[in-house]
Every structure is written in structure tokens, then in C-alpha cells.
Amino acid sequence: MNPQNFLFTSESVTEGHPDKIADQISDGVLDAIMAKDKNCRVACETMLTTGLAFVAGEISTKAYVEIPDIIRETIRDVGYTDATWGFDYRTCSVLTAIDAQSGDIAMGVDTGGAGDQGLMFGYATNETTALMPMPILLAHRLTRRLADVRKKNLVSWMRPDGKAQVTIEYKNGQPVRIDTVVVSTQHSDKVTSKKIEQDIKEKVIVPAMTEWLSVSGSKRSGLFDPKRVKFYINPTGRFVTGGPMGDTGLTGRKIIVDTYGGVGSHGGGAFSGKDPSKVDRSASYMARYIAKNIVAARLADKCEVQLAYAIGVPEPVSILIDAKGTEKVSHDVMERLVKKHFPLTPRGIVNYLHLRRPIYKRTSAYGHFGRNEPGFTWEKTDKAAILRREAGR
């Protein structure tokens, strides 16, 4: 088998998926507290099931927020507004169990050290203009389109829970064709499978793919050929019971959806509900920022960055730049430039990327990376020019 010729698949889920509702609640609590107290310490976890939303965690702050109100507002905004769907913002029970952050952890963080040990990864590739892997980028476009179609009432039968999956064919390491598209969406019990399949193809898949091709600057018009793509739409034939009634939701269970869709490595730490003193979040954002600027500077076609920390220690215990064999300059040059131009202590990362702002609820659905939106400071490529110049490129 040629290792450069393969199929690769990534998935995304809608904001109405139970795990993603949990992420949005956790980040909604974080945002509400951070809006009043930028130096707060928040580690907020959410669990959802039939008729119940439960928030627990460690929070140290001078601010006061009505956590039950945030929970219900988030569930409402996602779209669970009807009790007949088995879960809705008005009738669900809301429980909270909040304690302060451990004093043992606080000792290390207060002095500028990392809030925990751990390893974090960032990744970038030049296969798309967003410098993201194509399968996860397109999967997110499909789930966002699902939500847009539902919220604009372009179809009347759609419900909030849903998933999408995209398989890309690669030749010589480059994406050449969309091979398979899988879309599953919750629906009313009044609609036929034939109607669902027709609407999803005509109102979700084809518009999402053709719009992406038109705005991405891609000249590879053959990437999406509906006559050659294998479509699987609600493959089980029925998806009426969904959301927290169909599956328990937990914060941090969609870490691959949140990052690069399975491309590259993952350190295992979730993002949502954690303030930026937690390197699980802030160092992952910095690792993406570094990798993206290296690729934008054309020092490599692909780049994965690993940062590792010890609790209470400011400087990373290790830094690894892996260009996957696509480097245009030596690894020593890239590592030297990274150490020179990017702050790598937890405090330095937070300050440089302006992370003490209530920006996190927007990150909690449709991926933390590849989005050119306000607040996503780790997506900038403002270091690319100086990296390229100092690398002699």
C-alpha cells in the first residue's frame, strides 16, 4: 500500500448534540463569570440526561452569576424548546454542586506556573486555506448548515441533535475527492425517510459543499461530484429520540471534534469549562498558533507542535516541532524561531493571546480551530512574515 494514497474520515456534531450542549453550558458559565472577574478560576463540568442538567466543578471568583439561568438559556438557544421532545429548557431539573479551587493547585498557578501537568498539541496543514485538515473542516460546515437550516425553518421536521462525517480520498498525500458523506439528524415522527434524504441533500449537503468550494479559493472543482459521492443519510432510518433523552451528554467528550478530526496527536485534555490558566486549553491554543504560523510562513507544508508542562512550573518541560517530513528548513531553525517569537509560559500565553475575555461559548461548538472569527486570536498568522524572513525564505 502506498502510504500517501488513503481515505481519511472526520466527524462533527451539531450544537444540539448532548455532549455539545454540555460543552456550551460549561463555557457559558465560564464566560458569565469571566465577564465580571477576569482573574477567576473555573473548572466547570456539565452532565445532561432525560429531564436533568447537572453542573459541578471548582470555581474561585469574587463574582456571582445565576448558574441555573445560564443552563436554561443555553438549552433554549440550542433549540430544545418543546417538552414533547423529551428535554426542554423550561421543564428540565437543574442541579449544581460547586466548590472552590484546591489551594494546592492555586499555589502553583498564582506564581505563574501551569495548573496541571500535561501534553498539548497544535496542528496545521496547507491543504485548505484555513490551514486545517479538509475532512474536519467540511464536517463542521455540514453540521453548521444543519443548524442553520433548522433555525431558519427551511424545513419544519428537523430537531437539534445531529452529526456529520466526511471521508476524503488522498493521493500522494493531497486531498483529491470527497468519497463519502454521512449525515444523521434528529427529526419529527411525521416525516418520511424519503423526504429527509431529499431535504438533506438539497438543503444541507450540496449547498454546504458548493459554497465552500466557491469561497475557499480552491481550483480543485472535482473535489465534490455528487454522482460519485456515497451518501448515507440517517442510515438507521429513524432518529426521533435524540438529545439528552437519547444519550447522556458530558463536557469534554468531543475532544477530537473540537480539534483536528483525528489528524495528528491529542494530549487527552478537554477545553470547555476551563479558564485559560489551565494549559489544557491555553497551551493547545498556542500550539495551534505556532503550527499555523509555521505553515503560513511556508517553512513546512504540515506542522504538529507539542508542548508539555509540569504543575507549578512556568516553562514547558519539552517543545517538539514535527513537520511530518515536509519541512523547508531544519527543525533546529524552527525550534529556535519558536522559542524566540512565541511566549510559552502559561501567563505569557494568556496575555499574548488575550485569553482573559468571555470568548469561550462560541468555541464550544463547530471546532476551536480553523475559524476566522473575532476572539479567535490563536488563528492569526501575524508571525508568518518574520518567521519566513528570519528563516531565510
Side-chain angles (χ1 to χ4, degrees), residues 190-223:
K190 308 296 184 186
V191 65
T192 66
S193 295
K194 184 177 180 181
K195 175 65 171 171
I196 292 172
E197 184 171 346
Q198 178 183 341
D199 283 348
I200 292 298
K201 280 186 179 179
E202 293 180 359
K203 294 182 168 63
V204 177
I205 298 173
V206 172
M209 296 297 101
T210 54
E211 180 190 19
W212 175 73
L213 285 169
S214 68
V215 302
S216 67
S218 174
K219 297 179 180 178
R220 296 168 290 187
S221 57
L223 274 170

PDB file of all heavy atoms in Angstrom, residues 190-223:
ATOM      1  N   LYS A 190     -43.346  12.736  12.025  1.00  0.00           N
ATOM      2  CA  LYS A 190     -44.322  12.935  10.957  1.00  0.00           C
ATOM      3  C   LYS A 190     -43.703  12.918   9.565  1.00  0.00           C
ATOM      4  O   LYS A 190     -44.408  13.010   8.563  1.00  0.00           O
ATOM      5  CB  LYS A 190     -45.039  14.282  11.152  1.00  0.00           C
ATOM      6  CG  LYS A 190     -45.635  14.511  12.533  1.00  0.00           C
ATOM      7  CD  LYS A 190     -46.746  13.531  12.852  1.00  0.00           C
ATOM      8  CE  LYS A 190     -47.388  13.867  14.201  1.00  0.00           C
ATOM      9  NZ  LYS A 190     -48.384  12.832  14.595  1.00  0.00           N
ATOM     10  N   VAL A 191     -42.378  12.836   9.478  1.00  0.00           N
ATOM     11  CA  VAL A 191     -41.704  12.971   8.186  1.00  0.00           C
ATOM     12  C   VAL A 191     -41.223  11.605   7.701  1.00  0.00           C
ATOM     13  O   VAL A 191     -40.861  10.733   8.503  1.00  0.00           O
ATOM     14  CB  VAL A 191     -40.516  13.955   8.303  1.00  0.00           C
ATOM     15  CG1 VAL A 191     -39.441  13.405   9.229  1.00  0.00           C
ATOM     16  CG2 VAL A 191     -39.934  14.295   6.934  1.00  0.00           C
ATOM     17  N   THR A 192     -41.207  11.420   6.385  1.00  0.00           N
ATOM     18  CA  THR A 192     -40.759  10.157   5.808  1.00  0.00           C
ATOM     19  C   THR A 192     -39.262  10.156   5.586  1.00  0.00           C
ATOM     20  O   THR A 192     -38.621  11.212   5.453  1.00  0.00           O
ATOM     21  CB  THR A 192     -41.455   9.899   4.460  1.00  0.00           C
ATOM     22  OG1 THR A 192     -41.030  10.890   3.522  1.00  0.00           O
ATOM     23  CG2 THR A 192     -42.973   9.939   4.608  1.00  0.00           C
ATOM     24  N   SER A 193     -38.687   8.968   5.506  1.00  0.00           N
ATOM     25  CA  SER A 193     -37.252   8.843   5.241  1.00  0.00           C
ATOM     26  C   SER A 193     -36.903   9.430   3.882  1.00  0.00           C
ATOM     27  O   SER A 193     -35.835  10.041   3.707  1.00  0.00           O
ATOM     28  CB  SER A 193     -36.828   7.377   5.308  1.00  0.00           C
ATOM     29  OG  SER A 193     -36.987   6.866   6.612  1.00  0.00           O
ATOM     30  N   LYS A 194     -37.781   9.245   2.917  1.00  0.00           N
ATOM     31  CA  LYS A 194     -37.534   9.788   1.583  1.00  0.00           C
ATOM     32  C   LYS A 194     -37.448  11.303   1.614  1.00  0.00           C
ATOM     33  O   LYS A 194     -36.570  11.904   0.969  1.00  0.00           O
ATOM     34  CB  LYS A 194     -38.638   9.337   0.633  1.00  0.00           C
ATOM     35  CG  LYS A 194     -38.423   9.770  -0.812  1.00  0.00           C
ATOM     36  CD  LYS A 194     -39.502   9.226  -1.731  1.00  0.00           C
ATOM     37  CE  LYS A 194     -39.267   9.664  -3.173  1.00  0.00           C
ATOM     38  NZ  LYS A 194     -40.326   9.149  -4.083  1.00  0.00           N
ATOM     39  N   LYS A 195     -38.335  11.942   2.366  1.00  0.00           N
ATOM     40  CA  LYS A 195     -38.323  13.404   2.477  1.00  0.00           C
ATOM     41  C   LYS A 195     -37.055  13.878   3.187  1.00  0.00           C
ATOM     42  O   LYS A 195     -36.438  14.882   2.788  1.00  0.00           O
ATOM     43  CB  LYS A 195     -39.567  13.863   3.244  1.00  0.00           C
ATOM     44  CG  LYS A 195     -39.634  15.358   3.534  1.00  0.00           C
ATOM     45  CD  LYS A 195     -39.753  16.203   2.281  1.00  0.00           C
ATOM     46  CE  LYS A 195     -40.033  17.656   2.622  1.00  0.00           C
ATOM     47  NZ  LYS A 195     -39.939  18.535   1.418  1.00  0.00           N
ATOM     48  N   ILE A 196     -36.656  13.183   4.228  1.00  0.00           N
ATOM     49  CA  ILE A 196     -35.424  13.543   4.949  1.00  0.00           C
ATOM     50  C   ILE A 196     -34.231  13.487   4.012  1.00  0.00           C
ATOM     51  O   ILE A 196     -33.425  14.426   3.939  1.00  0.00           O
ATOM     52  CB  ILE A 196     -35.207  12.605   6.157  1.00  0.00           C
ATOM     53  CG1 ILE A 196     -36.286  12.840   7.228  1.00  0.00           C
ATOM     54  CG2 ILE A 196     -33.813  12.809   6.752  1.00  0.00           C
ATOM     55  CD1 ILE A 196     -36.255  11.821   8.348  1.00  0.00           C
ATOM     56  N   GLU A 197     -34.109  12.400   3.268  1.00  0.00           N
ATOM     57  CA  GLU A 197     -32.967  12.249   2.363  1.00  0.00           C
ATOM     58  C   GLU A 197     -32.956  13.340   1.302  1.00  0.00           C
ATOM     59  O   GLU A 197     -31.908  13.932   1.013  1.00  0.00           O
ATOM     60  CB  GLU A 197     -33.005  10.871   1.706  1.00  0.00           C
ATOM     61  CG  GLU A 197     -31.797  10.602   0.828  1.00  0.00           C
ATOM     62  CD  GLU A 197     -31.718   9.163   0.351  1.00  0.00           C
ATOM     63  OE1 GLU A 197     -32.439   8.318   0.903  1.00  0.00           O
ATOM     64  OE2 GLU A 197     -30.912   8.902  -0.572  1.00  0.00           O
ATOM     65  N   GLN A 198     -34.096  13.636   0.747  1.00  0.00           N
ATOM     66  CA  GLN A 198     -34.176  14.675  -0.288  1.00  0.00           C
ATOM     67  C   GLN A 198     -33.797  16.036   0.268  1.00  0.00           C
ATOM     68  O   GLN A 198     -33.000  16.773  -0.341  1.00  0.00           O
ATOM     69  CB  GLN A 198     -35.600  14.720  -0.858  1.00  0.00           C
ATOM     70  CG  GLN A 198     -35.809  15.800  -1.911  1.00  0.00           C
ATOM     71  CD  GLN A 198     -37.259  15.858  -2.382  1.00  0.00           C
ATOM     72  OE1 GLN A 198     -38.027  14.914  -2.211  1.00  0.00           O
ATOM     73  NE2 GLN A 198     -37.646  16.977  -2.972  1.00  0.00           N
ATOM     74  N   ASP A 199     -34.358  16.401   1.422  1.00  0.00           N
ATOM     75  CA  ASP A 199     -34.080  17.711   2.004  1.00  0.00           C
ATOM     76  C   ASP A 199     -32.625  17.855   2.427  1.00  0.00           C
ATOM     77  O   ASP A 199     -32.013  18.922   2.235  1.00  0.00           O
ATOM     78  CB  ASP A 199     -34.998  17.960   3.205  1.00  0.00           C
ATOM     79  CG  ASP A 199     -36.412  18.341   2.801  1.00  0.00           C
ATOM     80  OD1 ASP A 199     -36.627  18.632   1.614  1.00  0.00           O
ATOM     81  OD2 ASP A 199     -37.303  18.343   3.680  1.00  0.00           O
ATOM     82  N   ILE A 200     -32.062  16.806   3.017  1.00  0.00           N
ATOM     83  CA  ILE A 200     -30.674  16.885   3.473  1.00  0.00           C
ATOM     84  C   ILE A 200     -29.731  17.069   2.287  1.00  0.00           C
ATOM     85  O   ILE A 200     -28.793  17.879   2.339  1.00  0.00           O
ATOM     86  CB  ILE A 200     -30.287  15.638   4.294  1.00  0.00           C
ATOM     87  CG1 ILE A 200     -31.043  15.623   5.625  1.00  0.00           C
ATOM     88  CG2 ILE A 200     -28.780  15.606   4.550  1.00  0.00           C
ATOM     89  CD1 ILE A 200     -30.743  16.786   6.530  1.00  0.00           C
ATOM     90  N   LYS A 201     -29.970  16.343   1.205  1.00  0.00           N
ATOM     91  CA  LYS A 201     -29.113  16.510   0.026  1.00  0.00           C
ATOM     92  C   LYS A 201     -29.261  17.905  -0.571  1.00  0.00           C
ATOM     93  O   LYS A 201     -28.267  18.580  -0.864  1.00  0.00           O
ATOM     94  CB  LYS A 201     -29.464  15.454  -1.027  1.00  0.00           C
ATOM     95  CG  LYS A 201     -28.861  14.091  -0.763  1.00  0.00           C
ATOM     96  CD  LYS A 201     -29.142  13.154  -1.923  1.00  0.00           C
ATOM     97  CE  LYS A 201     -28.530  11.777  -1.683  1.00  0.00           C
ATOM     98  NZ  LYS A 201     -28.827  10.851  -2.808  1.00  0.00           N
ATOM     99  N   GLU A 202     -30.506  18.353  -0.751  1.00  0.00           N
ATOM    100  CA  GLU A 202     -30.761  19.595  -1.478  1.00  0.00           C
ATOM    101  C   GLU A 202     -30.521  20.843  -0.637  1.00  0.00           C
ATOM    102  O   GLU A 202     -30.107  21.880  -1.171  1.00  0.00           O
ATOM    103  CB  GLU A 202     -32.203  19.600  -1.995  1.00  0.00           C
ATOM    104  CG  GLU A 202     -32.478  18.558  -3.063  1.00  0.00           C
ATOM    105  CD  GLU A 202     -33.914  18.591  -3.552  1.00  0.00           C
ATOM    106  OE1 GLU A 202     -34.706  19.422  -3.037  1.00  0.00           O
ATOM    107  OE2 GLU A 202     -34.244  17.799  -4.455  1.00  0.00           O
ATOM    108  N   LYS A 203     -30.780  20.764   0.670  1.00  0.00           N
ATOM    109  CA  LYS A 203     -30.720  21.967   1.507  1.00  0.00           C
ATOM    110  C   LYS A 203     -29.516  22.016   2.425  1.00  0.00           C
ATOM    111  O   LYS A 203     -29.220  23.069   2.993  1.00  0.00           O
ATOM    112  CB  LYS A 203     -32.010  22.101   2.328  1.00  0.00           C
ATOM    113  CG  LYS A 203     -33.247  22.354   1.471  1.00  0.00           C
ATOM    114  CD  LYS A 203     -34.485  22.515   2.334  1.00  0.00           C
ATOM    115  CE  LYS A 203     -35.663  23.044   1.526  1.00  0.00           C
ATOM    116  NZ  LYS A 203     -36.088  22.147   0.456  1.00  0.00           N
ATOM    117  N   VAL A 204     -28.830  20.878   2.583  1.00  0.00           N
ATOM    118  CA  VAL A 204     -27.686  20.847   3.502  1.00  0.00           C
ATOM    119  C   VAL A 204     -26.386  20.510   2.761  1.00  0.00           C
ATOM    120  O   VAL A 204     -25.479  21.331   2.669  1.00  0.00           O
ATOM    121  CB  VAL A 204     -27.919  19.849   4.664  1.00  0.00           C
ATOM    122  CG1 VAL A 204     -26.670  19.785   5.560  1.00  0.00           C
ATOM    123  CG2 VAL A 204     -29.137  20.253   5.484  1.00  0.00           C
ATOM    124  N   ILE A 205     -26.300  19.315   2.210  1.00  0.00           N
ATOM    125  CA  ILE A 205     -25.024  18.826   1.696  1.00  0.00           C
ATOM    126  C   ILE A 205     -24.558  19.611   0.467  1.00  0.00           C
ATOM    127  O   ILE A 205     -23.449  20.170   0.460  1.00  0.00           O
ATOM    128  CB  ILE A 205     -25.098  17.327   1.369  1.00  0.00           C
ATOM    129  CG1 ILE A 205     -25.399  16.524   2.642  1.00  0.00           C
ATOM    130  CG2 ILE A 205     -23.782  16.853   0.745  1.00  0.00           C
ATOM    131  CD1 ILE A 205     -25.661  15.054   2.396  1.00  0.00           C
ATOM    132  N   VAL A 206     -25.387  19.668  -0.565  1.00  0.00           N
ATOM    133  CA  VAL A 206     -24.961  20.334  -1.800  1.00  0.00           C
ATOM    134  C   VAL A 206     -24.677  21.817  -1.574  1.00  0.00           C
ATOM    135  O   VAL A 206     -23.616  22.315  -1.992  1.00  0.00           O
ATOM    136  CB  VAL A 206     -25.994  20.118  -2.927  1.00  0.00           C
ATOM    137  CG1 VAL A 206     -25.650  20.972  -4.141  1.00  0.00           C
ATOM    138  CG2 VAL A 206     -26.052  18.643  -3.317  1.00  0.00           C
ATOM    139  N   PRO A 207     -25.549  22.578  -0.881  1.00  0.00           N
ATOM    140  CA  PRO A 207     -25.210  23.991  -0.632  1.00  0.00           C
ATOM    141  C   PRO A 207     -23.938  24.171   0.186  1.00  0.00           C
ATOM    142  O   PRO A 207     -23.127  25.059  -0.102  1.00  0.00           O
ATOM    143  CB  PRO A 207     -26.431  24.522   0.122  1.00  0.00           C
ATOM    144  CG  PRO A 207     -27.547  23.610  -0.253  1.00  0.00           C
ATOM    145  CD  PRO A 207     -26.918  22.266  -0.429  1.00  0.00           C
ATOM    146  N   ALA A 208     -23.747  23.346   1.221  1.00  0.00           N
ATOM    147  CA  ALA A 208     -22.559  23.491   2.069  1.00  0.00           C
ATOM    148  C   ALA A 208     -21.286  23.222   1.281  1.00  0.00           C
ATOM    149  O   ALA A 208     -20.288  23.948   1.412  1.00  0.00           O
ATOM    150  CB  ALA A 208     -22.652  22.555   3.268  1.00  0.00           C
ATOM    151  N   MET A 209     -21.290  22.176   0.460  1.00  0.00           N
ATOM    152  CA  MET A 209     -20.090  21.830  -0.291  1.00  0.00           C
ATOM    153  C   MET A 209     -19.804  22.837  -1.410  1.00  0.00           C
ATOM    154  O   MET A 209     -18.663  23.259  -1.597  1.00  0.00           O
ATOM    155  CB  MET A 209     -20.234  20.430  -0.886  1.00  0.00           C
ATOM    156  CG  MET A 209     -20.342  19.299   0.125  1.00  0.00           C
ATOM    157  SD  MET A 209     -18.892  19.081   1.184  1.00  0.00           S
ATOM    158  CE  MET A 209     -19.442  19.888   2.681  1.00  0.00           C
ATOM    159  N   THR A 210     -20.821  23.222  -2.158  1.00  0.00           N
ATOM    160  CA  THR A 210     -20.590  24.151  -3.269  1.00  0.00           C
ATOM    161  C   THR A 210     -20.204  25.538  -2.766  1.00  0.00           C
ATOM    162  O   THR A 210     -19.375  26.216  -3.375  1.00  0.00           O
ATOM    163  CB  THR A 210     -21.837  24.241  -4.164  1.00  0.00           C
ATOM    164  OG1 THR A 210     -22.989  24.566  -3.386  1.00  0.00           O
ATOM    165  CG2 THR A 210     -22.085  22.924  -4.876  1.00  0.00           C
ATOM    166  N   GLU A 211     -20.790  25.956  -1.635  1.00  0.00           N
ATOM    167  CA  GLU A 211     -20.413  27.254  -1.070  1.00  0.00           C
ATOM    168  C   GLU A 211     -18.959  27.231  -0.632  1.00  0.00           C
ATOM    169  O   GLU A 211     -18.215  28.188  -0.865  1.00  0.00           O
ATOM    170  CB  GLU A 211     -21.316  27.610   0.111  1.00  0.00           C
ATOM    171  CG  GLU A 211     -20.976  28.949   0.734  1.00  0.00           C
ATOM    172  CD  GLU A 211     -21.712  29.193   2.040  1.00  0.00           C
ATOM    173  OE1 GLU A 211     -22.197  28.224   2.648  1.00  0.00           O
ATOM    174  OE2 GLU A 211     -21.773  30.356   2.456  1.00  0.00           O
ATOM    175  N   TRP A 212     -18.537  26.141  -0.018  1.00  0.00           N
ATOM    176  CA  TRP A 212     -17.145  26.056   0.435  1.00  0.00           C
ATOM    177  C   TRP A 212     -16.190  26.130  -0.756  1.00  0.00           C
ATOM    178  O   TRP A 212     -15.192  26.850  -0.716  1.00  0.00           O
ATOM    179  CB  TRP A 212     -16.902  24.765   1.201  1.00  0.00           C
ATOM    180  CG  TRP A 212     -15.455  24.606   1.564  1.00  0.00           C
ATOM    181  CD1 TRP A 212     -14.767  25.290   2.522  1.00  0.00           C
ATOM    182  CD2 TRP A 212     -14.510  23.741   0.931  1.00  0.00           C
ATOM    183  NE1 TRP A 212     -13.454  24.895   2.532  1.00  0.00           N
ATOM    184  CE2 TRP A 212     -13.267  23.951   1.576  1.00  0.00           C
ATOM    185  CE3 TRP A 212     -14.603  22.809  -0.100  1.00  0.00           C
ATOM    186  CZ2 TRP A 212     -12.127  23.254   1.207  1.00  0.00           C
ATOM    187  CZ3 TRP A 212     -13.461  22.108  -0.468  1.00  0.00           C
ATOM    188  CH2 TRP A 212     -12.242  22.330   0.183  1.00  0.00           C
ATOM    189  N   LEU A 213     -16.506  25.411  -1.815  1.00  0.00           N
ATOM    190  CA  LEU A 213     -15.648  25.440  -2.991  1.00  0.00           C
ATOM    191  C   LEU A 213     -15.573  26.840  -3.594  1.00  0.00           C
ATOM    192  O   LEU A 213     -14.523  27.264  -4.078  1.00  0.00           O
ATOM    193  CB  LEU A 213     -16.168  24.455  -4.042  1.00  0.00           C
ATOM    194  CG  LEU A 213     -15.893  22.977  -3.743  1.00  0.00           C
ATOM    195  CD1 LEU A 213     -16.683  22.101  -4.708  1.00  0.00           C
ATOM    196  CD2 LEU A 213     -14.409  22.663  -3.834  1.00  0.00           C
ATOM    197  N   SER A 214     -16.680  27.589  -3.531  1.00  0.00           N
ATOM    198  CA  SER A 214     -16.704  28.915  -4.143  1.00  0.00           C
ATOM    199  C   SER A 214     -15.935  29.954  -3.335  1.00  0.00           C
ATOM    200  O   SER A 214     -15.382  30.893  -3.894  1.00  0.00           O
ATOM    201  CB  SER A 214     -18.145  29.388  -4.339  1.00  0.00           C
ATOM    202  OG  SER A 214     -18.771  29.646  -3.094  1.00  0.00           O
ATOM    203  N   VAL A 215     -15.883  29.784  -2.013  1.00  0.00           N
ATOM    204  CA  VAL A 215     -15.226  30.803  -1.178  1.00  0.00           C
ATOM    205  C   VAL A 215     -13.827  30.398  -0.738  1.00  0.00           C
ATOM    206  O   VAL A 215     -13.085  31.219  -0.223  1.00  0.00           O
ATOM    207  CB  VAL A 215     -16.078  31.126   0.077  1.00  0.00           C
ATOM    208  CG1 VAL A 215     -17.447  31.603  -0.322  1.00  0.00           C
ATOM    209  CG2 VAL A 215     -16.165  29.933   1.033  1.00  0.00           C
ATOM    210  N   SER A 216     -13.466  29.130  -0.932  1.00  0.00           N
ATOM    211  CA  SER A 216     -12.179  28.662  -0.414  1.00  0.00           C
ATOM    212  C   SER A 216     -11.014  28.986  -1.340  1.00  0.00           C
ATOM    213  O   SER A 216      -9.862  28.808  -0.965  1.00  0.00           O
ATOM    214  CB  SER A 216     -12.223  27.143  -0.199  1.00  0.00           C
ATOM    215  OG  SER A 216     -12.335  26.471  -1.437  1.00  0.00           O
ATOM    216  N   GLY A 217     -11.341  29.422  -2.549  1.00  0.00           N
ATOM    217  CA  GLY A 217     -10.269  29.691  -3.499  1.00  0.00           C
ATOM    218  C   GLY A 217      -9.700  28.436  -4.117  1.00  0.00           C
ATOM    219  O   GLY A 217      -8.695  28.456  -4.812  1.00  0.00           O
ATOM    220  N   SER A 218     -10.359  27.303  -3.841  1.00  0.00           N
ATOM    221  CA  SER A 218      -9.858  26.037  -4.379  1.00  0.00           C
ATOM    222  C   SER A 218     -10.136  25.936  -5.874  1.00  0.00           C
ATOM    223  O   SER A 218     -11.224  26.241  -6.342  1.00  0.00           O
ATOM    224  CB  SER A 218     -10.515  24.863  -3.653  1.00  0.00           C
ATOM    225  OG  SER A 218     -10.138  23.653  -4.255  1.00  0.00           O
ATOM    226  N   LYS A 219      -9.130  25.511  -6.624  1.00  0.00           N
ATOM    227  CA  LYS A 219      -9.297  25.295  -8.056  1.00  0.00           C
ATOM    228  C   LYS A 219      -9.619  23.830  -8.352  1.00  0.00           C
ATOM    229  O   LYS A 219      -9.761  23.437  -9.503  1.00  0.00           O
ATOM    230  CB  LYS A 219      -8.028  25.713  -8.797  1.00  0.00           C
ATOM    231  CG  LYS A 219      -7.708  27.193  -8.657  1.00  0.00           C
ATOM    232  CD  LYS A 219      -6.436  27.551  -9.394  1.00  0.00           C
ATOM    233  CE  LYS A 219      -6.121  29.040  -9.245  1.00  0.00           C
ATOM    234  NZ  LYS A 219      -4.849  29.411  -9.923  1.00  0.00           N
ATOM    235  N   ARG A 220      -9.735  23.026  -7.269  1.00  0.00           N
ATOM    236  CA  ARG A 220      -9.979  21.600  -7.448  1.00  0.00           C
ATOM    237  C   ARG A 220     -11.482  21.345  -7.493  1.00  0.00           C
ATOM    238  O   ARG A 220     -12.082  20.786  -6.577  1.00  0.00           O
ATOM    239  CB  ARG A 220      -9.316  20.810  -6.319  1.00  0.00           C
ATOM    240  CG  ARG A 220      -7.795  20.945  -6.317  1.00  0.00           C
ATOM    241  CD  ARG A 220      -7.176  20.420  -5.048  1.00  0.00           C
ATOM    242  NE  ARG A 220      -7.477  21.260  -3.904  1.00  0.00           N
ATOM    243  CZ  ARG A 220      -6.930  21.082  -2.695  1.00  0.00           C
ATOM    244  NH1 ARG A 220      -6.076  20.117  -2.502  1.00  0.00           N
ATOM    245  NH2 ARG A 220      -7.251  21.863  -1.700  1.00  0.00           N
ATOM    246  N   SER A 221     -12.115  21.777  -8.585  1.00  0.00           N
ATOM    247  CA  SER A 221     -13.565  21.682  -8.688  1.00  0.00           C
ATOM    248  C   SER A 221     -14.050  20.243  -8.655  1.00  0.00           C
ATOM    249  O   SER A 221     -15.214  19.981  -8.361  1.00  0.00           O
ATOM    250  CB  SER A 221     -14.047  22.361  -9.975  1.00  0.00           C
ATOM    251  OG  SER A 221     -13.418  21.780 -11.107  1.00  0.00           O
ATOM    252  N   GLY A 222     -13.176  19.296  -8.956  1.00  0.00           N
ATOM    253  CA  GLY A 222     -13.570  17.899  -8.938  1.00  0.00           C
ATOM    254  C   GLY A 222     -13.650  17.295  -7.557  1.00  0.00           C
ATOM    255  O   GLY A 222     -13.967  16.105  -7.420  1.00  0.00           O
ATOM    256  N   LEU A 223     -13.360  18.061  -6.529  1.00  0.00           N
ATOM    257  CA  LEU A 223     -13.416  17.529  -5.165  1.00  0.00           C
ATOM    258  C   LEU A 223     -14.800  16.991  -4.816  1.00  0.00           C
ATOM    259  O   LEU A 223     -14.925  15.970  -4.143  1.00  0.00           O
ATOM    260  CB  LEU A 223     -13.043  18.628  -4.158  1.00  0.00           C
ATOM    261  CG  LEU A 223     -11.562  18.818  -3.862  1.00  0.00           C
ATOM    262  CD1 LEU A 223     -11.347  20.085  -3.061  1.00  0.00           C
ATOM    263  CD2 LEU A 223     -11.001  17.613  -3.112  1.00  0.00           C
TER     264      LEU A 223
END
